Amino acid sequence: MSSTDSADEGGAQYELEEVTVLRDCLHIRERPGMYIGDTGERGLRHLVFSVLENAVAEARAGFCTTIEVELHADGGCLVRDNGRGIPVEIVPREGRAFAELALTTFFTRRVAGPLGFPLAGNLHGIGLKAVNALSERLLLEVCREGKSWRQEYQRGKPCASIQAVGKTRKAGTSIAFWPDPQIFEPVPPFDVERIARRLRELACLHVGLTIRLRDRRSTLPREEVFHSAHGLVDLLPDGPGDRPAHSHAFHLRCGEEGREVEVALRWLASAEERTWSYANAYFTSQGGSHVAGARSAITQTLRAYLAERGLVPDVRFALGREDYTAGLALAVAVNLHEPTFDAPTKEVLSHPEAETFVRERLAVALADFFRAHPDDAEAVARRVLAARDARLTDPKTGALRPGRRPRG
């Protein structure tokens, strides 16, 4: 049966003339939730982070040392870096500038493309395209190889070709965008606290990178600088309510061709477990393979240590998985050649090889840490057993009561 001969339940025929193909930005505008999560504050924040990802990609490649983020009183946001600048040369097969393709066309090559410029984002740099498509206006300015270039877009479409507008000694890319009220109804304000938190994370993930935040939306502009000299260790809680259960924080950074892992962790006196996880600098808010590998390594290493010290408890009062991680502050980041995420929003890393890689490297390093810091190891063991006791203590009698078979 052909498409024109078929009919729906009501008897109406399908006609080829009725088929609409949503190309590039039109599909993003039609289904924004597929690309940014939602059209509320969370989605708006995702736009900021998507532009940031492109600047961070330049820092990861070793070409950018400073990133600036500005929130403007008119509702716009600007992200500027001092990297090489997005290439403006014409891509021969397309007849358009590389920069324009990066902002408008799906499947622009992300890594080691014809011009050697890395586009941030899985799925071939969809992030920048989504920002452009969902902005009422976007202004691109590029400083590259002695010239400055400029191009303006409206709702994802270029107003004109990119044009050279002068000479410059600077280098880098500046993207300013104004979220489209047709998509965000109404446009919520940027959450500066959440943005600042993300900038702090990015600084800790890229030692030596300086990120400046300016909020110009009030009569008293806010300015803050983020910079880390130590990496993920600087993310671990150190406030007045975050009393550590042991003296030294654990920190691991290692890798091999195509994959790297960094882990920082410390047990705190509080019962809450806190985790920060990242894959290729994306914040994986729901964790995934790398977090599973880290937790498995922690449980495995602590079990071995407790057995070695003769501290394995009576089977009736066995330790559960939650006891090993009670009070744990864990930050884990992986860099992978081709990471696999569950969706364009990259909330979960779905990469089985990452779980094995993190588990094996962390288990060895944590065991070495316990041997090098016996006092810390003893303190962590006491912390784990105290968590078990708190879980099994009868509130009426104060005695331990056998519990159901624990998880893990």
Side-chain angles (χ1 to χ4, degrees):
M1 181 181 293
S2 69
S3 61
T4 54
D5 290 336
S6 62
D8 61 17
E9 294 180 358
Q13 291 184 337
Y14 292 112
E15 299 293 343
L16 293 179
E17 290 78 4
E18 296 175 357
V19 174
T20 300
V21 178
L22 298 175
R23 299 187 184 278
D24 295 347
C25 72
L26 292 180
H27 188 274
I28 298 174
R29 291 180 63 81
E30 185 73 17
R31 297 287 185 268
M34 291 179 59
Y35 300 93
I36 63 171
D38 61 35
T39 55
E41 192 279 326
R42 172 179 170 232
L44 190 69
R45 199 180 341 125
H46 191 83
L47 298 186
V48 181
F49 297 163
S50 293
V51 182
L52 268 170
E53 287 165 6
N54 196 69
V56 169
E58 276 291 87
R60 292 167 67 82
F63 297 102
C64 170
T65 59
T66 302
I67 298 173
E68 299 176 43
V69 179
E70 295 183 2
L71 305 179
H72 295 160
D74 62 0
C77 174
L78 178 144
V79 178
R80 179 189 298 118
D81 67 65
N82 68 342
R84 292 168 292 177
I86 295 180
V88 296
E89 292 85 351
I90 300 297
V91 177
R93 293 179 61 181
E94 299 292 334
R96 290 190 289 166
F98 181 91
E100 183 175 319
L101 292 173
L103 286 162
T104 61
T105 305
F106 282 174
F107 307 115
T108 304
R109 291 192 67 184
R110 178 172 63 93
V111 179
L115 298 173
F117 189 86
L119 278 178
N122 203 25
L123 302 179
H124 303 281
I126 282 179
L128 286 181
K129 300 165 188 41
V131 175
N132 193 19
L134 303 178
S135 295
E136 182 178 29
R137 177 179 175 236
L138 184 144
L139 183 61
L140 169 69
E141 295 181 309
V142 177
C143 295
R144 181 178 173 87
E145 297 177 348
K147 291 184 179 181
S148 58
W149 302 76
R150 180 185 175 101
Q151 187 175 29
E152 187 171 347
Y153 295 81
Q154 292 184 354
R155 296 190 166 97
K157 297 180 180 180
C159 300
S161 300
I162 192 165
Q163 301 290 328
V165 294
K167 296 181 179 180
T168 182
R169 294 183 179 180
K170 298 180 180 180
T173 302
S174 172
I175 294 178
F177 68 94
W178 290 260
D180 191 349
Q182 293 182 2
I183 302 296
F184 302 88
E185 301 181 41
V187 178
F190 290 107
D191 187 332
V192 67
E193 297 301 332
R194 288 180 177 268
I195 291 174
R197 189 183 313 161
R198 176 60 176 155
L199 299 186
R200 178 172 177 258
E201 293 171 352
L202 288 172
C204 291
L205 286 163
H206 302 89
V207 172
L209 176 65
T210 298
I211 308 178
R212 293 188 175 89
L213 171 64
R214 299 184 181 92
D215 187 354
R216 303 183 182 279
R217 296 176 297 175
S218 67
T219 55
L220 296 174
R222 167 178 173 172
E223 183 164 346
E224 196 166 353
V225 178
F226 303 92
H227 183 90
S228 172
H230 306 104
L232 287 185
V233 171
D234 290 337
L235 269 185
L236 299 181
D238 60 357
D242 300 312
R243 182 167 58 86
H246 54 104
S247 300
H248 300 91
F250 170 87
H251 189 206
L252 164 69
R253 185 188 287 119
C254 68
E256 56 193 45
E257 185 176 357
R259 53 187 183 179
E260 300 173 340
V261 60
E262 182 179 2
V263 178
L265 60 84
R266 192 173 207 165
W267 278 266
L268 306 176
S270 62
E272 180 186 5
E273 177 188 353
R274 283 175 277 185
T275 302
W276 298 263
S277 66
Y278 311 88
N280 288 35
Y282 302 117
F283 176 49
T284 48
S285 60
Q286 303 301 314
S289 307
H290 50 333
V291 175
R295 287 176 176 158
S296 178
I298 291 166
T299 301
Q300 169 188 327
T301 307
L302 278 171
R303 277 178 176 162
Y305 177 81
L306 291 168
E308 179 185 327
R309 298 288 294 158
L311 298 174
V312 178
D314 187 307
V315 68
R316 295 174 302 160
F317 310 109
L319 289 161
R321 184 178 60 193
E322 63 268 37
D323 301 325
Y324 292 106
T325 57
L328 175 65
L330 168 67
V332 54
V334 292
N335 292 316
L336 305 168
H337 178 59
E338 287 291 343
T340 304
F341 299 95
D342 68 327
T345 49
K346 306 176 185 70
E347 294 178 331
V348 179
L349 179 68
S350 305
H351 204 95
E353 291 181 6
E355 180 173 353
T356 303
F357 175 66
V358 171
R359 183 181 68 248
E360 292 177 349
R361 300 304 187 279
L362 179 55
V364 171
L366 190 56
D368 289 343
F369 174 82
F370 285 162
R371 282 190 288 271
H373 301 88
D375 291 343
D376 290 85
E378 289 291 326
V380 171
R382 290 195 299 270
R383 177 71 186 85
V384 170
L385 293 172
R388 185 281 314 264
D389 292 350
R391 178 172 57 86
L392 296 180
T393 295
D394 188 322
K396 294 182 179 179
T397 65
L400 288 182
R401 55 186 179 185
R404 64 180 184 277
R405 186 175 180 82
R407 292 182 298 164

PDB file of all heavy atoms in Angstrom, residues 293-321:
ATOM      1  N   GLY A 293      31.069   3.176  39.414  1.00  0.00           N
ATOM      2  CA  GLY A 293      32.409   2.631  39.576  1.00  0.00           C
ATOM      3  C   GLY A 293      33.086   3.133  40.825  1.00  0.00           C
ATOM      4  O   GLY A 293      33.769   2.372  41.533  1.00  0.00           O
ATOM      5  N   ALA A 294      32.908   4.417  41.143  1.00  0.00           N
ATOM      6  CA  ALA A 294      33.523   4.995  42.343  1.00  0.00           C
ATOM      7  C   ALA A 294      32.946   4.373  43.618  1.00  0.00           C
ATOM      8  O   ALA A 294      33.689   3.992  44.535  1.00  0.00           O
ATOM      9  CB  ALA A 294      33.336   6.507  42.343  1.00  0.00           C
ATOM     10  N   ARG A 295      31.624   4.259  43.683  1.00  0.00           N
ATOM     11  CA  ARG A 295      31.010   3.686  44.883  1.00  0.00           C
ATOM     12  C   ARG A 295      31.402   2.224  45.062  1.00  0.00           C
ATOM     13  O   ARG A 295      31.616   1.756  46.187  1.00  0.00           O
ATOM     14  CB  ARG A 295      29.495   3.841  44.796  1.00  0.00           C
ATOM     15  CG  ARG A 295      29.026   5.277  45.000  1.00  0.00           C
ATOM     16  CD  ARG A 295      27.540   5.406  44.819  1.00  0.00           C
ATOM     17  NE  ARG A 295      27.079   6.771  45.114  1.00  0.00           N
ATOM     18  CZ  ARG A 295      25.951   7.279  44.663  1.00  0.00           C
ATOM     19  NH1 ARG A 295      25.155   6.553  43.887  1.00  0.00           N
ATOM     20  NH2 ARG A 295      25.602   8.523  44.966  1.00  0.00           N
ATOM     21  N   SER A 296      31.486   1.505  43.963  1.00  0.00           N
ATOM     22  CA  SER A 296      31.900   0.110  44.049  1.00  0.00           C
ATOM     23  C   SER A 296      33.322  -0.014  44.584  1.00  0.00           C
ATOM     24  O   SER A 296      33.615  -0.870  45.432  1.00  0.00           O
ATOM     25  CB  SER A 296      31.790  -0.538  42.661  1.00  0.00           C
ATOM     26  OG  SER A 296      32.225  -1.875  42.691  1.00  0.00           O
ATOM     27  N   ALA A 297      34.216   0.864  44.115  1.00  0.00           N
ATOM     28  CA  ALA A 297      35.602   0.834  44.582  1.00  0.00           C
ATOM     29  C   ALA A 297      35.698   1.172  46.063  1.00  0.00           C
ATOM     30  O   ALA A 297      36.478   0.558  46.810  1.00  0.00           O
ATOM     31  CB  ALA A 297      36.444   1.814  43.762  1.00  0.00           C
ATOM     32  N   ILE A 298      34.921   2.132  46.510  1.00  0.00           N
ATOM     33  CA  ILE A 298      34.940   2.536  47.919  1.00  0.00           C
ATOM     34  C   ILE A 298      34.471   1.388  48.808  1.00  0.00           C
ATOM     35  O   ILE A 298      35.104   1.053  49.825  1.00  0.00           O
ATOM     36  CB  ILE A 298      34.062   3.785  48.112  1.00  0.00           C
ATOM     37  CG1 ILE A 298      34.722   5.000  47.443  1.00  0.00           C
ATOM     38  CG2 ILE A 298      33.819   4.055  49.593  1.00  0.00           C
ATOM     39  CD1 ILE A 298      33.806   6.191  47.289  1.00  0.00           C
ATOM     40  N   THR A 299      33.358   0.767  48.433  1.00  0.00           N
ATOM     41  CA  THR A 299      32.830  -0.360  49.206  1.00  0.00           C
ATOM     42  C   THR A 299      33.827  -1.518  49.224  1.00  0.00           C
ATOM     43  O   THR A 299      34.108  -2.111  50.275  1.00  0.00           O
ATOM     44  CB  THR A 299      31.494  -0.818  48.611  1.00  0.00           C
ATOM     45  OG1 THR A 299      30.564   0.260  48.624  1.00  0.00           O
ATOM     46  CG2 THR A 299      30.919  -1.985  49.410  1.00  0.00           C
ATOM     47  N   GLN A 300      34.372  -1.845  48.075  1.00  0.00           N
ATOM     48  CA  GLN A 300      35.338  -2.949  47.954  1.00  0.00           C
ATOM     49  C   GLN A 300      36.561  -2.715  48.828  1.00  0.00           C
ATOM     50  O   GLN A 300      37.013  -3.614  49.560  1.00  0.00           O
ATOM     51  CB  GLN A 300      35.747  -3.077  46.481  1.00  0.00           C
ATOM     52  CG  GLN A 300      36.909  -3.985  46.195  1.00  0.00           C
ATOM     53  CD  GLN A 300      37.356  -3.892  44.734  1.00  0.00           C
ATOM     54  OE1 GLN A 300      36.546  -3.685  43.839  1.00  0.00           O
ATOM     55  NE2 GLN A 300      38.653  -4.028  44.499  1.00  0.00           N
ATOM     56  N   THR A 301      37.098  -1.503  48.799  1.00  0.00           N
ATOM     57  CA  THR A 301      38.319  -1.198  49.550  1.00  0.00           C
ATOM     58  C   THR A 301      38.067  -1.194  51.051  1.00  0.00           C
ATOM     59  O   THR A 301      38.890  -1.700  51.835  1.00  0.00           O
ATOM     60  CB  THR A 301      38.880   0.160  49.097  1.00  0.00           C
ATOM     61  OG1 THR A 301      39.035   0.157  47.677  1.00  0.00           O
ATOM     62  CG2 THR A 301      40.218   0.444  49.751  1.00  0.00           C
ATOM     63  N   LEU A 302      36.941  -0.645  51.462  1.00  0.00           N
ATOM     64  CA  LEU A 302      36.634  -0.603  52.893  1.00  0.00           C
ATOM     65  C   LEU A 302      36.347  -2.001  53.437  1.00  0.00           C
ATOM     66  O   LEU A 302      36.732  -2.329  54.573  1.00  0.00           O
ATOM     67  CB  LEU A 302      35.455   0.332  53.149  1.00  0.00           C
ATOM     68  CG  LEU A 302      35.819   1.813  53.211  1.00  0.00           C
ATOM     69  CD1 LEU A 302      34.574   2.685  53.243  1.00  0.00           C
ATOM     70  CD2 LEU A 302      36.672   2.094  54.455  1.00  0.00           C
ATOM     71  N   ARG A 303      35.668  -2.807  52.660  1.00  0.00           N
ATOM     72  CA  ARG A 303      35.429  -4.189  53.103  1.00  0.00           C
ATOM     73  C   ARG A 303      36.753  -4.914  53.339  1.00  0.00           C
ATOM     74  O   ARG A 303      36.934  -5.612  54.338  1.00  0.00           O
ATOM     75  CB  ARG A 303      34.611  -4.934  52.046  1.00  0.00           C
ATOM     76  CG  ARG A 303      33.114  -4.701  52.122  1.00  0.00           C
ATOM     77  CD  ARG A 303      32.417  -5.437  51.008  1.00  0.00           C
ATOM     78  NE  ARG A 303      30.976  -5.321  51.104  1.00  0.00           N
ATOM     79  CZ  ARG A 303      30.141  -5.572  50.108  1.00  0.00           C
ATOM     80  NH1 ARG A 303      30.625  -5.960  48.930  1.00  0.00           N
ATOM     81  NH2 ARG A 303      28.849  -5.465  50.267  1.00  0.00           N
ATOM     82  N   ALA A 304      37.676  -4.741  52.400  1.00  0.00           N
ATOM     83  CA  ALA A 304      38.982  -5.393  52.536  1.00  0.00           C
ATOM     84  C   ALA A 304      39.726  -4.861  53.751  1.00  0.00           C
ATOM     85  O   ALA A 304      40.372  -5.629  54.491  1.00  0.00           O
ATOM     86  CB  ALA A 304      39.793  -5.174  51.264  1.00  0.00           C
ATOM     87  N   TYR A 305      39.657  -3.574  53.999  1.00  0.00           N
ATOM     88  CA  TYR A 305      40.362  -2.991  55.143  1.00  0.00           C
ATOM     89  C   TYR A 305      39.771  -3.494  56.459  1.00  0.00           C
ATOM     90  O   TYR A 305      40.512  -3.866  57.386  1.00  0.00           O
ATOM     91  CB  TYR A 305      40.279  -1.465  55.076  1.00  0.00           C
ATOM     92  CG  TYR A 305      40.925  -0.798  56.273  1.00  0.00           C
ATOM     93  CD1 TYR A 305      42.305  -0.629  56.329  1.00  0.00           C
ATOM     94  CD2 TYR A 305      40.157  -0.378  57.353  1.00  0.00           C
ATOM     95  CE1 TYR A 305      42.906  -0.045  57.438  1.00  0.00           C
ATOM     96  CE2 TYR A 305      40.749   0.200  58.462  1.00  0.00           C
ATOM     97  CZ  TYR A 305      42.126   0.369  58.497  1.00  0.00           C
ATOM     98  OH  TYR A 305      42.709   0.934  59.601  1.00  0.00           O
ATOM     99  N   LEU A 306      38.443  -3.513  56.549  1.00  0.00           N
ATOM    100  CA  LEU A 306      37.802  -3.986  57.775  1.00  0.00           C
ATOM    101  C   LEU A 306      38.134  -5.450  58.040  1.00  0.00           C
ATOM    102  O   LEU A 306      38.356  -5.855  59.191  1.00  0.00           O
ATOM    103  CB  LEU A 306      36.287  -3.794  57.672  1.00  0.00           C
ATOM    104  CG  LEU A 306      35.800  -2.340  57.698  1.00  0.00           C
ATOM    105  CD1 LEU A 306      34.335  -2.262  57.298  1.00  0.00           C
ATOM    106  CD2 LEU A 306      36.005  -1.721  59.071  1.00  0.00           C
ATOM    107  N   ALA A 307      38.174  -6.242  56.984  1.00  0.00           N
ATOM    108  CA  ALA A 307      38.529  -7.659  57.157  1.00  0.00           C
ATOM    109  C   ALA A 307      39.975  -7.803  57.617  1.00  0.00           C
ATOM    110  O   ALA A 307      40.295  -8.617  58.498  1.00  0.00           O
ATOM    111  CB  ALA A 307      38.315  -8.395  55.837  1.00  0.00           C
ATOM    112  N   GLU A 308      40.866  -7.009  57.048  1.00  0.00           N
ATOM    113  CA  GLU A 308      42.276  -7.054  57.424  1.00  0.00           C
ATOM    114  C   GLU A 308      42.479  -6.673  58.878  1.00  0.00           C
ATOM    115  O   GLU A 308      43.332  -7.229  59.579  1.00  0.00           O
ATOM    116  CB  GLU A 308      43.062  -6.121  56.503  1.00  0.00           C
ATOM    117  CG  GLU A 308      44.549  -6.047  56.789  1.00  0.00           C
ATOM    118  CD  GLU A 308      45.234  -5.019  55.912  1.00  0.00           C
ATOM    119  OE1 GLU A 308      44.796  -4.834  54.754  1.00  0.00           O
ATOM    120  OE2 GLU A 308      46.201  -4.389  56.373  1.00  0.00           O
ATOM    121  N   ARG A 309      41.672  -5.729  59.358  1.00  0.00           N
ATOM    122  CA  ARG A 309      41.805  -5.259  60.741  1.00  0.00           C
ATOM    123  C   ARG A 309      40.965  -6.078  61.709  1.00  0.00           C
ATOM    124  O   ARG A 309      40.931  -5.788  62.902  1.00  0.00           O
ATOM    125  CB  ARG A 309      41.354  -3.784  60.817  1.00  0.00           C
ATOM    126  CG  ARG A 309      42.200  -2.844  59.974  1.00  0.00           C
ATOM    127  CD  ARG A 309      43.566  -2.629  60.572  1.00  0.00           C
ATOM    128  NE  ARG A 309      43.459  -1.927  61.846  1.00  0.00           N
ATOM    129  CZ  ARG A 309      44.376  -1.943  62.810  1.00  0.00           C
ATOM    130  NH1 ARG A 309      45.472  -2.653  62.623  1.00  0.00           N
ATOM    131  NH2 ARG A 309      44.206  -1.265  63.925  1.00  0.00           N
ATOM    132  N   GLY A 310      40.296  -7.107  61.222  1.00  0.00           N
ATOM    133  CA  GLY A 310      39.478  -7.932  62.092  1.00  0.00           C
ATOM    134  C   GLY A 310      38.241  -7.220  62.600  1.00  0.00           C
ATOM    135  O   GLY A 310      37.738  -7.536  63.686  1.00  0.00           O
ATOM    136  N   LEU A 311      37.745  -6.268  61.838  1.00  0.00           N
ATOM    137  CA  LEU A 311      36.598  -5.472  62.261  1.00  0.00           C
ATOM    138  C   LEU A 311      35.316  -5.864  61.551  1.00  0.00           C
ATOM    139  O   LEU A 311      34.327  -5.143  61.597  1.00  0.00           O
ATOM    140  CB  LEU A 311      36.874  -3.981  61.999  1.00  0.00           C
ATOM    141  CG  LEU A 311      38.063  -3.390  62.757  1.00  0.00           C
ATOM    142  CD1 LEU A 311      38.328  -1.955  62.304  1.00  0.00           C
ATOM    143  CD2 LEU A 311      37.799  -3.432  64.259  1.00  0.00           C
ATOM    144  N   VAL A 312      35.317  -7.020  60.867  1.00  0.00           N
ATOM    145  CA  VAL A 312      34.103  -7.466  60.190  1.00  0.00           C
ATOM    146  C   VAL A 312      33.055  -7.776  61.245  1.00  0.00           C
ATOM    147  O   VAL A 312      33.268  -8.631  62.116  1.00  0.00           O
ATOM    148  CB  VAL A 312      34.375  -8.719  59.327  1.00  0.00           C
ATOM    149  CG1 VAL A 312      33.091  -9.188  58.666  1.00  0.00           C
ATOM    150  CG2 VAL A 312      35.426  -8.401  58.282  1.00  0.00           C
ATOM    151  N   PRO A 313      31.933  -7.116  61.239  1.00  0.00           N
ATOM    152  CA  PRO A 313      30.942  -7.291  62.311  1.00  0.00           C
ATOM    153  C   PRO A 313      30.196  -8.613  62.201  1.00  0.00           C
ATOM    154  O   PRO A 313      30.219  -9.294  61.179  1.00  0.00           O
ATOM    155  CB  PRO A 313      29.977  -6.107  62.088  1.00  0.00           C
ATOM    156  CG  PRO A 313      30.120  -5.782  60.634  1.00  0.00           C
ATOM    157  CD  PRO A 313      31.530  -6.083  60.274  1.00  0.00           C
ATOM    158  N   ASP A 314      29.560  -8.971  63.313  1.00  0.00           N
ATOM    159  CA  ASP A 314      28.695 -10.144  63.367  1.00  0.00           C
ATOM    160  C   ASP A 314      27.714 -10.088  62.196  1.00  0.00           C
ATOM    161  O   ASP A 314      27.168  -9.047  61.868  1.00  0.00           O
ATOM    162  CB  ASP A 314      27.946 -10.130  64.706  1.00  0.00           C
ATOM    163  CG  ASP A 314      27.143 -11.401  64.937  1.00  0.00           C
ATOM    164  OD1 ASP A 314      26.350 -11.763  64.047  1.00  0.00           O
ATOM    165  OD2 ASP A 314      27.304 -12.012  65.997  1.00  0.00           O
ATOM    166  N   VAL A 315      27.471 -11.240  61.564  1.00  0.00           N
ATOM    167  CA  VAL A 315      26.607 -11.274  60.390  1.00  0.00           C
ATOM    168  C   VAL A 315      25.219 -10.724  60.696  1.00  0.00           C
ATOM    169  O   VAL A 315      24.520 -10.220  59.813  1.00  0.00           O
ATOM    170  CB  VAL A 315      26.525 -12.721  59.837  1.00  0.00           C
ATOM    171  CG1 VAL A 315      25.781 -13.632  60.817  1.00  0.00           C
ATOM    172  CG2 VAL A 315      25.843 -12.734  58.476  1.00  0.00           C
ATOM    173  N   ARG A 316      24.810 -10.836  61.970  1.00  0.00           N
ATOM    174  CA  ARG A 316      23.491 -10.303  62.336  1.00  0.00           C
ATOM    175  C   ARG A 316      23.457  -8.781  62.267  1.00  0.00           C
ATOM    176  O   ARG A 316      22.383  -8.183  62.180  1.00  0.00           O
ATOM    177  CB  ARG A 316      23.116 -10.757  63.758  1.00  0.00           C
ATOM    178  CG  ARG A 316      22.917 -12.251  63.922  1.00  0.00           C
ATOM    179  CD  ARG A 316      22.709 -12.564  65.380  1.00  0.00           C
ATOM    180  NE  ARG A 316      23.844 -12.116  66.183  1.00  0.00           N
ATOM    181  CZ  ARG A 316      23.789 -11.897  67.509  1.00  0.00           C
ATOM    182  NH1 ARG A 316      22.652 -12.074  68.159  1.00  0.00           N
ATOM    183  NH2 ARG A 316      24.865 -11.516  68.161  1.00  0.00           N
ATOM    184  N   PHE A 317      24.624  -8.179  62.337  1.00  0.00           N
ATOM    185  CA  PHE A 317      24.701  -6.715  62.302  1.00  0.00           C
ATOM    186  C   PHE A 317      25.587  -6.273  61.140  1.00  0.00           C
ATOM    187  O   PHE A 317      26.463  -5.419  61.282  1.00  0.00           O
ATOM    188  CB  PHE A 317      25.254  -6.182  63.624  1.00  0.00           C
ATOM    189  CG  PHE A 317      24.559  -6.741  64.830  1.00  0.00           C
ATOM    190  CD1 PHE A 317      25.201  -7.648  65.666  1.00  0.00           C
ATOM    191  CD2 PHE A 317      23.263  -6.377  65.115  1.00  0.00           C
ATOM    192  CE1 PHE A 317      24.562  -8.179  66.775  1.00  0.00           C
ATOM    193  CE2 PHE A 317      22.608  -6.902  66.228  1.00  0.00           C
ATOM    194  CZ  PHE A 317      23.254  -7.791  67.045  1.00  0.00           C
ATOM    195  N   ALA A 318      25.361  -6.887  60.006  1.00  0.00           N
ATOM    196  CA  ALA A 318      26.232  -6.661  58.849  1.00  0.00           C
ATOM    197  C   ALA A 318      26.112  -5.238  58.323  1.00  0.00           C
ATOM    198  O   ALA A 318      25.094  -4.561  58.480  1.00  0.00           O
ATOM    199  CB  ALA A 318      25.884  -7.660  57.741  1.00  0.00           C
ATOM    200  N   LEU A 319      27.176  -4.807  57.681  1.00  0.00           N
ATOM    201  CA  LEU A 319      27.205  -3.488  57.069  1.00  0.00           C
ATOM    202  C   LEU A 319      26.423  -3.484  55.759  1.00  0.00           C
ATOM    203  O   LEU A 319      26.450  -4.453  55.002  1.00  0.00           O
ATOM    204  CB  LEU A 319      28.650  -3.061  56.787  1.00  0.00           C
ATOM    205  CG  LEU A 319      29.491  -2.719  58.011  1.00  0.00           C
ATOM    206  CD1 LEU A 319      30.964  -2.770  57.658  1.00  0.00           C
ATOM    207  CD2 LEU A 319      29.113  -1.339  58.541  1.00  0.00           C
ATOM    208  N   GLY A 320      25.744  -2.391  55.503  1.00  0.00           N
ATOM    209  CA  GLY A 320      25.040  -2.198  54.243  1.00  0.00           C
ATOM    210  C   GLY A 320      25.756  -1.171  53.393  1.00  0.00           C
ATOM    211  O   GLY A 320      26.625  -0.430  53.874  1.00  0.00           O
ATOM    212  N   ARG A 321      25.406  -1.125  52.122  1.00  0.00           N
ATOM    213  CA  ARG A 321      26.062  -0.192  51.216  1.00  0.00           C
ATOM    214  C   ARG A 321      25.956   1.247  51.707  1.00  0.00           C
ATOM    215  O   ARG A 321      26.897   2.032  51.581  1.00  0.00           O
ATOM    216  CB  ARG A 321      25.437  -0.318  49.822  1.00  0.00           C
ATOM    217  CG  ARG A 321      26.099   0.536  48.762  1.00  0.00           C
ATOM    218  CD  ARG A 321      25.438   0.300  47.414  1.00  0.00           C
ATOM    219  NE  ARG A 321      24.021   0.641  47.452  1.00  0.00           N
ATOM    220  CZ  ARG A 321      23.146   0.308  46.500  1.00  0.00           C
ATOM    221  NH1 ARG A 321      23.541  -0.440  45.491  1.00  0.00           N
ATOM    222  NH2 ARG A 321      21.887   0.677  46.597  1.00  0.00           N
TER     223      ARG A 321
END
